[in-house]
Amino acid sequence: MTFTYSICHPEKKEIDYKNQHLSEEEVLEIAQNYPWEEKLNFMKSLGEKVYYNPSIDFKCIENGQSFCLTAMYDDQNKLMFSLWYNRPKKVKVLFGLLGESEKMVVDDFWSLNLNDSIKYLEYFVEKKYSKIEDLYKK
């Protein structure tokens, strides 16, 4: 599978879309090596001129699903992440009276550390989608 990605920088209004195609290994390398804490500390120095928390969104070219990691500090100033998983999901049309249809929905989960966030990103690139969906059922 191949992926593209985009980056939200705290100081930039425009999202930085990267058009290069990435392998599964490159996706994991980018997320693991991104300067998350450096970007968060820089964000603090911006005061009210912050556009985004540091974020990287990876999109699978083949199926259109995406997985985003967004960094923040918790109350104890520890690095934490929210995950945003954009996936197809069956939804009821008109309370189920007209059956079901499939549409893309975004599920989010908050307060994960870097290691756990990378683990779920690994599930994403390995197409182990049910393991990600289990996170949202907890």
Side-chain angles (χ1 to χ4, degrees), residues 3-61:
F3 303 86
T4 59
Y5 72 111
S6 59
I7 301 175
C8 292
H9 299 282
E11 75 282 11
K12 296 181 181 176
K13 189 175 184 177
E14 301 298 321
I15 297 172
D16 186 6
Y17 292 96
K18 307 290 188 179
N19 292 321
Q20 71 189 74
H21 290 201
L22 304 172
S23 68
E24 297 169 10
E25 295 80 18
E26 290 170 317
V27 165
L28 296 172
E29 186 177 314
I30 288 169
Q32 290 169 331
N33 295 324
Y34 193 74
W36 297 107
E37 291 192 78
E38 180 182 314
K39 290 289 187 175
L40 283 170
N41 292 334
F42 175 66
M43 185 177 89
K44 283 183 181 180
S45 73
L46 294 174
E48 294 183 23
K49 298 207 178 222
V50 173
Y51 291 101
Y52 302 101
N53 275 43
S55 302
I56 303 178
D57 186 70
F58 297 97
K59 184 174 183 176
C60 177
I61 294 170

Side-chain angles (χ1 to χ4, degrees), residues 12 29-30 37 41 50 68 79 88-89 99 101 106 117 126 129:
K12 296 181 181 176
E29 186 177 314
I30 288 169
E37 291 192 78
N41 292 334
V50 173
C68 180
L79 179 63
K89 185 176 183 180
S101 70
V106 176
S117 299
E126 295 170 354
Y129 302 130

Side-chain angles (χ1 to χ4, degrees), residues 80-120:
M80 298 301 289
F81 289 85
S82 61
L83 307 179
W84 304 82
Y85 176 42
N86 188 19
R87 65 185 178 98
K89 185 176 183 180
K90 290 193 185 268
V91 294
K92 293 180 180 179
V93 178
L94 198 59
F95 306 105
L97 296 173
L98 300 177
E100 292 183 333
S101 70
E102 190 171 88
K103 72 175 197 171
M104 295 297 278
V105 297
V106 176
D107 291 323
D108 61 309
F109 191 79
W110 294 75
S111 301
L112 288 171
N113 63 36
L114 178 59
N115 290 336
D116 288 342
S117 299
I118 296 297
K119 177 178 70 173
Y120 284 100

